[in-house]
Amino acid sequence: MKVPVKDNSYKVLFLVFHGFSEHNGISKKIWGQINGLKSIGVDVILCYYSVEADGSRVWKVGNEILVDFGRGPIAKIRKRIDYRAISEYVQKNKFQLIYIRSDHNANPFTLNMVKMMRLSGAKVLMEIPTYPYDQEYVTLRMRLELAVDRLYRKKLAKQLDAFVTFSDARTIFGQRAISISNGIDFSAIPVRKSQEGAEKRTIHLLGVAEIHYWHGFDRLVRGLGIYKQSHADCQIIFHLVGQFSGERERSSILEPIEQFNLQQNVVLHGPLWGEELDAIFNLSDFAIGSLGRHRSGIQVIKTLKNREYAARGIPFIYSESDADFDGQPYVLKASPDESAIDITKILEFLKKEKFDPACIRNSILDLSWAEQMNKVLQTF
């Protein structure tokens, strides 16, 4: 761990435009970032939007309500346009840094909010979780929302001190970009316990995600179907953990299962967490990362999923470019295209070497959230 560059007199407001779920991957990531900042001595205050149990739409600071918009359609509108309470809170509390997680919501109201924040003397950064992101907007409604963001995002960028990105971009929308890696909260992720004993007859593959089309899990399912055609006694099971984000994703998995008669080879678990998720990792031999980032126009990205797999201590496959893992001995790279995944290559990869979970995990100790957030702070 590097020597912290800040101390507890350095105040950061971490601003998020949505609420939290205990088992949601994005929520876990944000808490990891916050805990990482706290571990290096920074005073961090979380500000976020939430819908309360009674339907009230509120902005919170920590566990306290900053402003309550009430319920109904007017409240729903106000939460999108009224950021005065946040700006006033920043003015009163004299933060050194405002760290905003982008919701792709550049508009006159967020633009004015950032301007007011800057008047307090604070530096203002905005993290873009995925860049570029335009290709992710596929429905007409989504594209209409994106049109507003596209109209104002360069103006918003001028008001920022920098973007934070997990890509290799040096500038975004004309503003400088600070490139870091997605980090890991090692205290929240146990290392897997690989199965010991006699040689296993069945190979277990595992994919964990909220399933989007850019994960490309359909490439793995199609590859498994092709493999089974020439190996009638196929003893490979693909465990898919997570919920489908839409009907397109669901049909892309269910159709090849039906086509290749893979009902006994693909297990759709739905979301799992805690001990149930740990058990699936302990059972599995190999994990499936993103195989379709090219579908959203992304070639280089440092995904959280790769880091979570490595922290668990399981070898894995992906198709994008990730400088933290490209070339690692426990990584198998897939081509960034629509071809079915060659299952024989996975089997050959697993046969040639026994992968020790602890060694895989130890290879990424520098990817803790404390290290990654410290890189951000070192730029100021």
Side-chain angles (χ1 to χ4, degrees), residues 32-53:
Q33 291 177 289
I34 291 171
N35 291 334
L37 285 168
K38 288 181 177 180
S39 72
I40 57 174
V42 176
D43 181 11
V44 187
I45 296 176
L46 174 64
C47 180
Y48 64 99
Y49 169 76
S50 176
V51 179
E52 301 293 270

Side-chain angles (χ1 to χ4, degrees), residues 144-159:
L144 289 174
E145 293 176 352
L146 179 65
V148 178
D149 178 77
R150 294 182 69 176
L151 185 62
Y152 285 95
R153 60 195 184 188
K154 288 187 177 180
K155 296 177 182 178
L156 179 61
K158 289 181 180 179
Q159 297 300 319

Side-chain angles (χ1 to χ4, degrees), residues 223-380:
L224 185 55
I226 293 170
Y227 178 84
K228 187 175 180 180
Q229 287 179 330
S230 57
H231 299 77
D233 61 342
C234 175
Q235 294 176 322
I236 301 172
I237 297 178
F238 176 37
H239 300 269
L240 191 49
V241 175
Q243 63 184 10
F244 294 103
S245 61
E247 185 55 38
R248 172 178 53 176
E249 286 78 6
R250 181 184 300 275
S251 62
S252 73
I253 298 297
L254 296 185
E255 288 177 5
I257 289 177
E258 182 70 25
Q259 176 187 354
F260 294 105
N261 192 28
L262 294 172
Q263 289 82 0
Q264 302 302 314
N265 301 94
V266 180
V267 182
L268 305 178
H269 291 272
L272 296 178
W273 46 80
E275 292 182 357
E276 289 184 305
L277 182 59
D278 295 343
I280 290 291
F281 268 103
N282 292 342
L283 174 67
S284 299
D285 304 282
F286 189 79
I288 313 302
S290 297
L291 300 172
R293 284 287 176 177
H294 60 278
R295 295 174 179 177
S296 54
I298 293 175
Q299 296 177 336
V300 179
I301 189 171
K302 298 178 179 180
T303 67
L304 187 59
K305 187 55 56 191
N306 290 349
R307 285 140 188 83
E308 290 177 343
Y309 287 155
R312 289 276 186 174
I314 189 169
F316 56 96
I317 186 174
Y318 61 86
S319 64
E320 68 272 7
S321 293
D322 185 334
D324 292 327
F325 292 103
D326 292 348
Q328 286 282 13
Y330 51 82
V331 165
L332 180 63
K333 291 295 294 290
S335 56
D337 55 38
E338 293 303 309
S339 62
I341 298 301
D342 188 343
I343 300 299
T344 59
K345 289 186 177 180
I346 295 178
L347 299 180
E348 290 169 359
F349 183 75
L350 292 174
K351 283 181 180 179
K352 73 178 183 180
E353 185 173 350
K354 182 177 180 180
F355 298 99
D356 179 63
C359 289
I360 295 176
R361 182 182 177 98
N362 289 339
S363 73
I364 62 161
L365 294 181
D366 63 325
L367 295 181
S368 70
W369 272 123
E371 289 278 1
Q372 297 308 310
M373 298 308 289
N374 199 13
K375 288 181 182 180
V376 175
L377 299 186
Q378 287 176 349
T379 63
F380 296 102

Side-chain angles (χ1 to χ4, degrees), residues 15 17 98-102 113-114 117 124-127:
L15 179 62
F17 291 98
I98 313 297
Y99 191 97
I100 304 173
R101 180 181 165 91
S102 172
M113 177 185 70
V114 172
M117 288 175 170
V124 182
L125 303 182
M126 179 170 284
E127 174 191 305

